[in-house]
Short mmCIF file of all heavy atoms in Angstrom, two decimals:
data_model
loop_
_atom_site.label_atom_id
_atom_site.label_comp_id
_atom_site.label_asym_id
_atom_site.label_seq_id
_atom_site.Cartn_x
_atom_site.Cartn_y
_atom_site.Cartn_z
N SER W 215 -13.15 -2.12 -6.16
CA SER W 215 -13.40 -2.01 -7.60
C SER W 215 -12.69 -0.77 -8.14
O SER W 215 -12.80 0.31 -7.57
CB SER W 215 -14.90 -1.91 -7.88
OG SER W 215 -15.53 -3.13 -7.61
N VAL W 216 -11.97 -0.95 -9.23
CA VAL W 216 -11.20 0.12 -9.86
C VAL W 216 -11.45 0.06 -11.36
O VAL W 216 -11.50 -1.03 -11.94
CB VAL W 216 -9.68 -0.04 -9.57
CG1 VAL W 216 -8.88 1.03 -10.27
CG2 VAL W 216 -9.42 -0.02 -8.07
N THR W 217 -11.62 1.21 -11.96
CA THR W 217 -11.80 1.28 -13.41
C THR W 217 -10.48 1.71 -14.06
O THR W 217 -9.94 2.76 -13.72
CB THR W 217 -12.91 2.26 -13.79
OG1 THR W 217 -14.14 1.83 -13.19
CG2 THR W 217 -13.10 2.31 -15.30
N VAL W 218 -9.99 0.88 -14.96
CA VAL W 218 -8.73 1.18 -15.65
C VAL W 218 -9.00 1.32 -17.14
O VAL W 218 -9.88 0.66 -17.70
CB VAL W 218 -7.67 0.08 -15.40
CG1 VAL W 218 -7.27 0.06 -13.94
CG2 VAL W 218 -8.18 -1.29 -15.81
N ALA W 219 -8.26 2.22 -17.76
CA ALA W 219 -8.46 2.46 -19.20
C ALA W 219 -7.12 2.64 -19.88
O ALA W 219 -6.24 3.33 -19.39
CB ALA W 219 -9.32 3.70 -19.40
N ASP W 220 -6.99 1.96 -21.02
CA ASP W 220 -5.82 2.14 -21.87
C ASP W 220 -6.22 1.75 -23.29
O ASP W 220 -6.81 2.55 -23.99
CB ASP W 220 -4.64 1.31 -21.37
CG ASP W 220 -3.32 1.78 -21.95
OD1 ASP W 220 -2.79 2.77 -21.43
OD2 ASP W 220 -2.84 1.18 -22.92
N GLY W 221 -6.00 0.49 -23.67
CA GLY W 221 -6.52 0.03 -24.95
C GLY W 221 -8.02 -0.11 -24.90
O GLY W 221 -8.73 0.07 -25.89
N LYS W 222 -8.55 -0.47 -23.73
CA LYS W 222 -9.98 -0.53 -23.48
C LYS W 222 -10.23 -0.14 -22.02
O LYS W 222 -9.29 0.00 -21.24
CB LYS W 222 -10.53 -1.93 -23.77
CG LYS W 222 -9.96 -3.01 -22.88
CD LYS W 222 -10.70 -4.33 -23.00
CE LYS W 222 -10.60 -4.92 -24.40
NZ LYS W 222 -11.23 -6.28 -24.45
N THR W 223 -11.49 0.02 -21.67
CA THR W 223 -11.86 0.39 -20.30
C THR W 223 -12.48 -0.80 -19.61
O THR W 223 -13.42 -1.43 -20.14
CB THR W 223 -12.86 1.56 -20.31
OG1 THR W 223 -12.25 2.69 -20.95
CG2 THR W 223 -13.25 1.95 -18.89
N ILE W 224 -11.95 -1.14 -18.44
CA ILE W 224 -12.41 -2.31 -17.69
C ILE W 224 -12.52 -1.95 -16.21
O ILE W 224 -11.65 -1.26 -15.67
CB ILE W 224 -11.43 -3.49 -17.87
CG1 ILE W 224 -11.46 -3.99 -19.31
CG2 ILE W 224 -11.75 -4.63 -16.92
CD1 ILE W 224 -10.46 -5.09 -19.59
N THR W 225 -13.57 -2.45 -15.57
CA THR W 225 -13.69 -2.34 -14.11
C THR W 225 -13.46 -3.71 -13.51
O THR W 225 -14.08 -4.70 -13.91
CB THR W 225 -15.08 -1.81 -13.71
OG1 THR W 225 -15.26 -0.50 -14.26
CG2 THR W 225 -15.20 -1.73 -12.20
N ASN W 226 -12.54 -3.77 -12.57
CA ASN W 226 -12.20 -5.05 -11.94
C ASN W 226 -11.83 -4.79 -10.47
O ASN W 226 -11.73 -3.64 -10.03
CB ASN W 226 -11.04 -5.72 -12.66
CG ASN W 226 -11.01 -7.22 -12.44
OD1 ASN W 226 -11.89 -7.94 -12.92
ND2 ASN W 226 -10.02 -7.71 -11.72
N LYS W 227 -11.63 -5.85 -9.73
CA LYS W 227 -11.28 -5.73 -8.32
C LYS W 227 -9.76 -5.78 -8.14
O LYS W 227 -9.08 -6.58 -8.79
CB LYS W 227 -11.95 -6.84 -7.52
CG LYS W 227 -13.47 -6.72 -7.48
CD LYS W 227 -14.09 -7.84 -6.67
CE LYS W 227 -15.60 -7.68 -6.61
NZ LYS W 227 -16.24 -8.77 -5.81
N PHE W 228 -9.27 -4.93 -7.22
CA PHE W 228 -7.85 -4.85 -6.94
C PHE W 228 -7.64 -4.71 -5.44
O PHE W 228 -8.44 -4.08 -4.74
CB PHE W 228 -7.23 -3.64 -7.66
CG PHE W 228 -7.24 -3.76 -9.16
CD1 PHE W 228 -8.36 -3.38 -9.89
CD2 PHE W 228 -6.14 -4.25 -9.84
CE1 PHE W 228 -8.38 -3.49 -11.26
CE2 PHE W 228 -6.15 -4.37 -11.23
CZ PHE W 228 -7.27 -3.99 -11.94
N TYR W 229 -6.55 -5.30 -4.95
CA TYR W 229 -6.21 -5.14 -3.54
C TYR W 229 -5.87 -3.69 -3.23
O TYR W 229 -5.22 -3.00 -4.02
CB TYR W 229 -5.01 -6.02 -3.18
CG TYR W 229 -5.33 -7.49 -3.07
CD1 TYR W 229 -4.68 -8.42 -3.89
CD2 TYR W 229 -6.26 -7.96 -2.17
CE1 TYR W 229 -4.95 -9.77 -3.81
CE2 TYR W 229 -6.54 -9.32 -2.07
CZ TYR W 229 -5.89 -10.22 -2.89
OH TYR W 229 -6.17 -11.56 -2.81
N PHE W 230 -6.30 -3.24 -2.05
CA PHE W 230 -5.98 -1.92 -1.53
C PHE W 230 -4.80 -2.10 -0.59
O PHE W 230 -4.95 -2.56 0.53
CB PHE W 230 -7.22 -1.39 -0.77
CG PHE W 230 -7.15 0.04 -0.32
CD1 PHE W 230 -7.82 1.03 -1.00
CD2 PHE W 230 -6.44 0.39 0.82
CE1 PHE W 230 -7.79 2.35 -0.58
CE2 PHE W 230 -6.39 1.70 1.27
CZ PHE W 230 -7.08 2.68 0.57
N ASP W 231 -3.59 -1.75 -1.06
CA ASP W 231 -2.37 -2.23 -0.41
C ASP W 231 -1.42 -1.09 -0.06
O ASP W 231 -0.60 -0.67 -0.87
CB ASP W 231 -1.68 -3.23 -1.35
CG ASP W 231 -0.54 -3.99 -0.69
OD1 ASP W 231 -0.19 -3.65 0.46
OD2 ASP W 231 -0.01 -4.91 -1.32
N THR W 232 -1.50 -0.62 1.19
CA THR W 232 -0.59 0.45 1.63
C THR W 232 0.84 -0.03 1.81
O THR W 232 1.75 0.79 1.95
CB THR W 232 -1.07 1.06 2.96
OG1 THR W 232 -1.06 0.06 3.98
CG2 THR W 232 -2.47 1.65 2.83
N GLY W 233 1.06 -1.33 1.80
CA GLY W 233 2.41 -1.86 1.97
C GLY W 233 3.17 -2.00 0.67
O GLY W 233 4.34 -2.42 0.67
N ALA W 234 2.55 -1.66 -0.46
CA ALA W 234 3.20 -1.75 -1.76
C ALA W 234 3.72 -0.38 -2.16
O ALA W 234 2.95 0.56 -2.32
CB ALA W 234 2.24 -2.27 -2.82
N GLY W 235 5.04 -0.26 -2.34
CA GLY W 235 5.66 1.02 -2.64
C GLY W 235 5.65 1.34 -4.12
O GLY W 235 6.70 1.63 -4.72
N LEU W 236 4.48 1.31 -4.73
CA LEU W 236 4.30 1.61 -6.14
C LEU W 236 2.90 2.16 -6.33
O LEU W 236 2.11 2.22 -5.39
CB LEU W 236 4.52 0.35 -7.00
CG LEU W 236 3.81 -0.96 -6.55
CD1 LEU W 236 2.36 -0.99 -6.97
CD2 LEU W 236 4.54 -2.17 -7.10
N CYS W 237 2.58 2.56 -7.57
CA CYS W 237 1.25 3.12 -7.83
C CYS W 237 0.22 2.04 -8.15
O CYS W 237 -0.85 1.98 -7.54
CB CYS W 237 1.32 4.11 -8.99
SG CYS W 237 2.14 5.66 -8.59
N PHE W 238 0.56 1.19 -9.12
CA PHE W 238 -0.43 0.25 -9.62
C PHE W 238 0.28 -0.97 -10.17
O PHE W 238 1.37 -0.85 -10.75
CB PHE W 238 -1.26 0.92 -10.73
CG PHE W 238 -2.54 0.21 -11.06
CD1 PHE W 238 -3.49 -0.05 -10.09
CD2 PHE W 238 -2.80 -0.17 -12.36
CE1 PHE W 238 -4.68 -0.69 -10.41
CE2 PHE W 238 -3.98 -0.81 -12.70
CZ PHE W 238 -4.93 -1.06 -11.72
N LEU W 239 -0.32 -2.14 -9.97
CA LEU W 239 0.29 -3.38 -10.43
C LEU W 239 -0.78 -4.29 -11.01
O LEU W 239 -1.87 -4.43 -10.44
CB LEU W 239 1.01 -4.07 -9.27
CG LEU W 239 1.71 -5.41 -9.58
CD1 LEU W 239 3.01 -5.53 -8.79
CD2 LEU W 239 0.80 -6.60 -9.26
N LEU W 240 -0.46 -4.90 -12.15
CA LEU W 240 -1.34 -5.87 -12.80
C LEU W 240 -0.66 -7.23 -12.83
O LEU W 240 0.54 -7.32 -13.07
CB LEU W 240 -1.63 -5.47 -14.25
CG LEU W 240 -2.25 -4.11 -14.54
CD1 LEU W 240 -2.35 -3.92 -16.05
CD2 LEU W 240 -3.60 -3.98 -13.89
N SER W 241 -1.45 -8.27 -12.61
CA SER W 241 -0.90 -9.60 -12.88
C SER W 241 -0.88 -9.80 -14.39
O SER W 241 -1.75 -9.29 -15.12
CB SER W 241 -1.75 -10.69 -12.22
OG SER W 241 -2.93 -10.93 -12.95
#
Side-chain angles (χ1 to χ4, degrees):
S215 290
V216 177
T217 300
V218 294
D220 198 80
K222 63 169 63 174
T223 300
I224 293 176
T225 299
N226 203 69
K227 294 180 178 179
F228 294 85
Y229 286 121
F230 188 103
D231 190 354
T232 62
L236 47 80
C237 288
F238 196 56
L239 180 144
L240 303 177
S241 77

